[in-house]
Amino acid sequence: MRTSAAREQKTDAHPDRVGARMRRFRTERGLTLRGLAARAGLSIGFLSQVERGVSSIGLTALNSVAAALDRPVAEFFAEGDEASSDGAAAALPGHFTLTRAESGATEYVSGQVTYRMLSDRGPNLVLEPMVVHIAPGGRREEAYAHAGEEFAYVVTGELLYEVDGVEHRLRPGDSVHLRSNVPHNMYNDTDEVTTVVSVVTPRLF
């Protein structure tokens, strides 16, 4: 599912980049960790770990942090972390998008997780489809609830997916679909990269 180097920039995974930007945006708004945690619905301890580069944060949780800080999610990724499209996608009406295999794709890296976006923006579309590569190791993200729905289909590897306090081991061909207001998280406890096709609502960018 990778494109050639000529079509896609390779992103650099630096676990502390997102956290450093989170700290800067928080202090610019004069917020304490406690204040940000209350606004975003996440624990103080977890946000502290993210800011210190000890733990990564998933895009859905980061979306809540971004909303609490009144910042677009994309601003949390340092310049060079985001691979831009090569412009091959055609201009289409707002009710659908068409993304060719040969076109570039946008990637975001947060700690052990790389999110590869699968569609361009469409003003009347609500799904956020992604291919997610989850490297082994790293600190497990805390369970988190948010508005919308979430679907994950395991392509390769294995994944621990916790839903409402119960762990489920997903293998290739397995999938999970849930209302995202139920606390959930995912973690790769194996020694190989796990690849997942994920669709969430609402859109993150």
Side-chain angles (χ1 to χ4, degrees):
M1 288 190 163
R2 313 283 304 175
T3 58
S4 69
R7 294 172 181 157
E8 174 188 308
Q9 296 178 11
K10 181 70 175 96
T11 55
D12 242 348
H14 292 279
D16 57 346
R17 284 185 176 177
V18 173
R21 289 203 161 197
M22 182 187 300
R23 182 188 297 112
R24 177 160 67 83
F25 296 155
R26 175 178 62 79
T27 55
E28 286 175 356
R29 290 190 65 86
L31 279 175
T32 62
L33 271 173
R34 183 180 299 277
L36 178 58
R39 291 188 180 196
L42 297 162
S43 73
I44 299 172
F46 174 65
L47 291 180
S48 175
Q49 290 173 351
V50 173
E51 287 194 355
R52 290 182 286 116
V54 176
S55 181
S56 60
I57 182 170
L59 278 186
T60 51
L62 183 59
N63 193 47
S64 291
V65 171
L69 295 174
D70 197 26
R71 294 271 188 170
V73 172
E75 288 190 6
F76 287 78
F77 296 88
E79 186 176 349
D81 276 359
E82 181 181 339
S84 60
S85 169
D86 64 4
L92 297 170
H95 60 272
F96 83 107
T97 69
L98 176 62
T99 305
R100 299 291 188 185
E102 64 270 15
S103 67
T106 301
E107 284 190 353
Y108 297 96
V109 177
S110 178
Q112 305 300 111
V113 185
T114 299
Y115 302 89
R116 180 179 176 85
M117 316 315 288
L118 292 179
S119 77
D120 293 317
R121 306 299 87 184
N124 300 316
L125 303 177
V126 298
L127 300 180
E128 187 77 271
M130 303 171 282
V131 170
V132 185
H133 301 285
I134 309 158
R139 188 180 294 269
R140 184 169 183 167
E141 184 182 341
E142 68 178 25
Y144 170 67
H146 56 92
E149 293 184 38
E150 190 160 324
F151 171 83
Y153 173 86
V154 178
V155 179
T156 62
E158 295 184 7
L159 189 67
L160 276 182
Y161 209 107
E162 179 185 327
V163 181
D164 204 16
V166 180
E167 286 186 350
H168 307 272
R169 182 169 295 278
L170 305 183
R171 297 179 173 85
D174 293 342
S175 63
V176 59
H177 184 187
L178 66 146
R179 291 190 64 93
S180 305
N181 58 0
V182 177
H184 59 282
N185 67 15
M186 60 182 183
Y187 183 67
N188 180 1
D189 65 342
T190 72
D191 57 2
E192 297 181 354
V193 174
T194 297
T195 299
V196 176
V197 173
S198 178
V199 182
V200 302
T201 64
R203 298 210 84 155
L204 305 171
F205 298 94

